[in-house]
């Protein structure tokens, strides 16, 4: 029996993760969207740590610039995801604030 090629094995895991992620995200009710965004921001911060480790490991081998560029791209995309997620979360939480509280603070000059 022959072993499965590691690339094919990892590709299959990635494709399965894409399908599972798609169905998990689209089955979330709107009331759970804000807590889910907070959790995804935490996951993205872990992704940045992994991307920095990958870029650092690739920097040790100057003959292969591909790993460094992919690591830098991963850091950039995860950073955009984190900051965008925080902006969306703040906007969603602002929708649940009472308008009286916001109006009183605006009139008081706060």
């Amino acid at each position: 029996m022959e072993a499965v090629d590691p690339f094919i094995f990892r590709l299959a895991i990635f494709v399965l993760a894409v399908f599972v992620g798609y169905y998990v995200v689209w089955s979330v009710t709107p009331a759970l969207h804000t807590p889910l965004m907070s959790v995804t921001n935490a996951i993205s911060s872990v992704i940045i740590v992994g991307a920095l480790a990958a870029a650092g490991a690739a920097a040790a081998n100057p003959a292969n610039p591909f790993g460094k560029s992919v690591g830098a791209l991963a850091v950039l995309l995860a950073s955009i995801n984190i900051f965008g997620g925080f902006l969306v979360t703040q906007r969603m939480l602002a929708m649940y604030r009472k308008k009286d509280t916001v109006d009183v603070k605006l009139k008081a000059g706060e």
Side-chain angles (χ1 to χ4, degrees), residues 5 11 37 53 75 101 107 110:
D5 184 26
L11 181 66
M37 286 298 295
V75 170
T101 308
K107 289 178 184 175
E110 292 180 2

Short mmCIF file of all heavy atoms in Angstrom, two decimals, residues 5 11 37 53 75 101 107 110:
data_model
loop_
_atom_site.label_atom_id
_atom_site.label_comp_id
_atom_site.label_asym_id
_atom_site.label_seq_id
_atom_site.Cartn_x
_atom_site.Cartn_y
_atom_site.Cartn_z
N ASP A 5 0.48 11.29 -0.92
CA ASP A 5 1.38 12.43 -1.06
C ASP A 5 1.00 13.50 -0.02
O ASP A 5 -0.18 13.84 0.12
CB ASP A 5 1.26 12.99 -2.48
CG ASP A 5 2.22 14.12 -2.74
OD1 ASP A 5 3.27 14.17 -2.08
OD2 ASP A 5 1.92 14.95 -3.62
N LEU A 11 -3.93 19.47 0.98
CA LEU A 11 -4.92 20.12 0.13
C LEU A 11 -6.32 19.63 0.46
O LEU A 11 -7.27 20.43 0.51
CB LEU A 11 -4.60 19.86 -1.35
CG LEU A 11 -5.54 20.50 -2.35
CD1 LEU A 11 -5.41 22.02 -2.29
CD2 LEU A 11 -5.25 20.00 -3.76
N MET A 37 -17.70 37.35 15.88
CA MET A 37 -16.66 38.24 15.34
C MET A 37 -15.53 38.40 16.36
O MET A 37 -14.36 38.46 15.99
CB MET A 37 -17.25 39.61 15.00
CG MET A 37 -18.09 39.63 13.75
SD MET A 37 -17.17 39.18 12.29
CE MET A 37 -16.02 40.53 12.19
N ALA A 53 6.10 33.49 12.63
CA ALA A 53 7.03 32.37 12.78
C ALA A 53 7.43 31.80 11.42
O ALA A 53 8.60 31.49 11.18
CB ALA A 53 6.40 31.28 13.65
N VAL A 75 0.62 37.89 7.33
CA VAL A 75 0.56 38.90 8.39
C VAL A 75 -0.32 40.06 7.96
O VAL A 75 -1.17 40.53 8.72
CB VAL A 75 1.98 39.40 8.76
CG1 VAL A 75 1.92 40.61 9.67
CG2 VAL A 75 2.76 38.29 9.43
N THR A 101 -29.41 57.11 25.59
CA THR A 101 -28.09 57.21 26.21
C THR A 101 -27.14 57.98 25.30
O THR A 101 -26.40 58.84 25.75
CB THR A 101 -27.53 55.81 26.48
OG1 THR A 101 -28.50 55.05 27.19
CG2 THR A 101 -26.25 55.87 27.27
N LYS A 107 -25.60 65.64 24.11
CA LYS A 107 -26.05 66.92 24.62
C LYS A 107 -25.17 67.40 25.76
O LYS A 107 -24.95 68.59 25.95
CB LYS A 107 -27.51 66.86 25.07
CG LYS A 107 -28.47 66.73 23.91
CD LYS A 107 -29.89 66.63 24.40
CE LYS A 107 -30.82 66.40 23.23
NZ LYS A 107 -32.20 66.18 23.67
N GLU A 110 -20.10 64.99 25.98
CA GLU A 110 -19.13 63.91 26.23
C GLU A 110 -18.66 63.28 24.95
O GLU A 110 -19.27 63.22 23.97
CB GLU A 110 -19.78 62.84 27.12
CG GLU A 110 -20.05 63.36 28.51
CD GLU A 110 -20.69 62.29 29.39
OE1 GLU A 110 -20.89 61.15 28.93
OE2 GLU A 110 -21.00 62.61 30.52
#
